[in-house]
Amino acid sequence: MRIESVRCVRTAVCKTLVAAACCLVLPAAGRAQTAEQQIINDAAAALGGRERVLAVKTMLLEGAGSQVAGTSLRYDDLGYASAINQLRDVKRAYDLANGRARFDATSMAEYAFYIGDAPNRQIQGLDGLVAFNVGADGNAARIFGNQANGRRVEYLRHPLTLVRAALGSGVTLANARTQGTERLVDLTVGDLPTLTLAIDATKKLPTRVIQMTAGAMGDTVVALEWGDYRPVNGLQLPTRLTTRTDKWVTGEIRVHKTTVDGNVGDLAAPAAVASATPPAGGAPQTFPNDAQEISKGVWFVTGTTHHSLIVEFSDHLMVIEAPNSERVVAVWAKAKELRPNKPITTLLVTHHHGDHTAGVRDAIAMGVNEIIIHESNLIYINDLLKRPRTLNPDMLAKQANAKLPKITAIGDTGVVKDSSMTINLYHILDNSHADSMLMIYFPQGQILTQADIYMPRDARHIIPGEPLGHAPWNRNVMANLVYRKLQVGYHAPIHGDYVPQSKFVEDTITMTQYMPGEEPKAASGGRGTGRGGQ
């Protein structure tokens, strides 16, 4: 009996070992897969098969397209459709064997309003973890931090590179799910932000890659959609790449030619770039914050490129413009210095562009309980205030139970006044920079304030190669002053110097009445030469 028992034990052990060995030699396709792995494998099979995907050495995409500029006429579908940059000579080269890439494109503004843009070529490189840009002079400079990580994410924003990465090591797959006609899976490649791959539930081809980003408006979904697949050298690859930011289409590239395993040149980072180290942190920067009282109870507070105004009412202060966090802190400190016993409770916003609103939420966190803005900006301001900010919490997001301010919407005209101060507000009509713009008129000093349009002695006002400069906008301001029957003595602009009306008239005439070869030159030493947005 004892011998039979031993034999039974030995037989059971042998069977277990044999079964385990069989499992070890089974091909990957025969093993049990997680739902996440199944989505990746289905995508690889649809692209041309796992082996073919992993065997690709190089890829070159050539095409053209368009993208929405950072500045828009207004915050709606028409506004986004109006702010288009043409993209030409698009070349996206990939050395998949070495994790390298070179993204080359030339952009040109095609929308109606002037921003002084000549064709602008951008060359961006990636060599493993080393990201760099190539200047017009051919010299390369390394970039670090979030910029470098963004370049690494950009490398993955193609179905071939993303699925190939997902088939490799160092990738975490999670949260397989079905949404409508798509199957989705979250991928985390190394230390990069999590991306979501979506595939067609029927055809299995990748349809888009999705990323939650910390945008200027808060948590923002950015997706690159892939369409119009075509066969290329044993693969199925997309020829339409469409970028969608939240609900808006913000870019599209049509690929006219795709080359697989061809010559893409040497995409390696130059040795000096690869060995470069992040710049050492220096002393904190300081910015201008001088306050000039230009009329009783009105101070023109200068920044580097963006100025603000402090306006005194009988029991509170108003600030005009909150371009960014640093500027808000500086202007609030200046207001405390000027009138220590009067709180800033009101913020007037000239228009919706990000470089004029990035400090709005900080202003609320510091006590603003009313925002005055043109009525066309209501959707924008509510989105700015209510959108979650989990990825990059700001001052307001960190305040528990923060109370949002009252929003006062101005139509064609408006007045803000009490016993000590009167401000007249006007919608700037027919302006092609922003259809959401307010201009501010102080009748007691005959002072006009506006943003972005007339920028006296700002180096950006007249740009080499663009001799007309802001002349079309100057004429627009002039037409609005005539239409509103305003008697202006001085200009206190958000960009540029505080100047008399005679300077505005002189600039407008000079910029529109020149002879060929006698164009005005770019100003030197203007306030526009400093760091942007301060």
Side-chain angles (χ1 to χ4, degrees), residues 344-347 363-364 367-371 404-407:
I344 299 173
T345 62
T346 307
L347 174 67
I364 297 167
V368 161
N369 57 35
E370 180 183 15
I371 292 177
L404 295 182
K406 170 188 174 184
I407 307 297

Side-chain angles (χ1 to χ4, degrees), residues 62-330:
E62 299 175 78
S66 62
Q67 65 183 9
V68 172
T71 301
S72 62
L73 190 63
R74 57 179 180 252
Y75 191 67
D76 59 14
D77 293 335
L78 178 60
Y80 270 83
S82 71
I84 299 298
N85 277 352
Q86 179 195 60
L87 294 178
R88 60 179 188 242
D89 302 325
V90 175
K91 294 183 179 179
R92 300 176 69 86
Y94 299 82
D95 174 357
L96 287 85
N98 295 294
R100 296 169 179 161
R102 178 185 173 101
F103 306 135
D104 189 346
T106 297
S107 66
M108 177 65 189
E110 287 197 333
Y111 43 107
F113 49 96
Y114 164 86
I115 59 169
D117 271 355
N120 177 36
R121 184 183 181 189
Q122 288 188 324
I123 302 175
Q124 302 174 334
L126 180 69
D127 185 355
L129 300 179
V130 178
F132 57 96
N133 296 326
V134 181
D137 58 2
N139 292 325
R142 185 169 178 177
I143 58 175
F144 298 91
N146 290 335
Q147 281 187 304
N149 287 340
R151 187 70 48 79
R152 293 167 59 201
V153 169
E154 185 63 27
Y155 174 88
L156 295 173
R157 281 161 49 89
H158 188 277
L160 182 62
T161 55
L162 185 59
V163 171
R164 183 184 172 108
L167 292 171
S169 58
V171 179
T172 301
L173 305 177
N175 194 21
R177 57 202 183 274
T178 299
Q179 290 183 1
T181 60
E182 293 178 316
R183 293 280 289 150
L184 290 84
V185 60
D186 295 337
L187 300 87
T188 305
V189 180
D191 59 350
L192 292 177
T194 296
L195 304 175
T196 299
L197 169 67
I199 71 170
D200 185 283
T202 303
K203 298 179 181 179
K204 313 302 183 185
L205 282 169
T207 54
R208 56 188 174 134
V209 58
I210 308 159
Q211 181 185 3
M212 181 67 76
T213 66
M217 299 294 291
D219 294 354
T220 302
V221 177
V222 177
L224 183 64
E225 300 171 353
W226 303 306
D228 292 352
Y229 277 80
R230 298 288 186 271
V232 182
N233 199 5
L235 295 164
Q236 289 288 328
L237 297 177
T239 61
R240 188 179 77 246
L241 315 177
T242 304
T243 301
R244 191 178 294 274
T245 304
D246 286 334
K247 66 177 182 178
W248 283 300
V249 172
T250 53
E252 182 168 272
I253 293 175
R254 298 305 300 253
V255 179
H256 302 145
K257 182 180 179 181
T258 302
T259 305
V260 172
D261 290 336
N263 182 13
V264 296
D266 183 5
L267 305 185
V273 171
S275 62
T277 56
Q285 277 189 289
T286 58
F287 306 103
N289 199 39
D290 298 328
Q292 175 187 0
E293 190 168 13
I294 55 178
S295 182
K296 181 176 173 53
V298 181
W299 289 269
F300 184 62
V301 188
T302 56
T304 304
T305 61
H306 291 60
H307 312 317
S308 299
L309 283 83
I310 298 172
V311 185
E312 183 178 16
F313 289 83
S314 59
D315 61 353
H316 70 281
L317 300 176
M318 169 196 286
V319 167
I320 298 174
E321 217 72 322
N324 55 50
S325 302
E326 293 81 5
R327 194 83 198 113
V328 166
V329 171

Side-chain angles (χ1 to χ4, degrees), residues 419-469:
S419 59
S420 64
M421 178 61 64
T422 297
I423 301 176
N424 295 333
L425 305 176
Y426 302 92
H427 180 212
I428 301 182
L429 303 175
D430 301 325
N431 184 263
S432 58
H433 178 64
D435 194 32
S436 60
M437 187 86 72
L438 288 175
M439 64 180 181
I440 302 100
Y441 181 67
F442 300 92
Q444 69 271 35
Q446 294 187 334
I447 298 168
L448 184 79
T449 292
Q450 48 72 42
D452 288 355
I453 308 175
Y454 177 49
M455 301 162 58
R457 300 196 185 106
D458 188 300
R460 298 164 297 173
H461 195 54
I462 302 174
I463 297 173
E466 298 281 353
L468 279 177

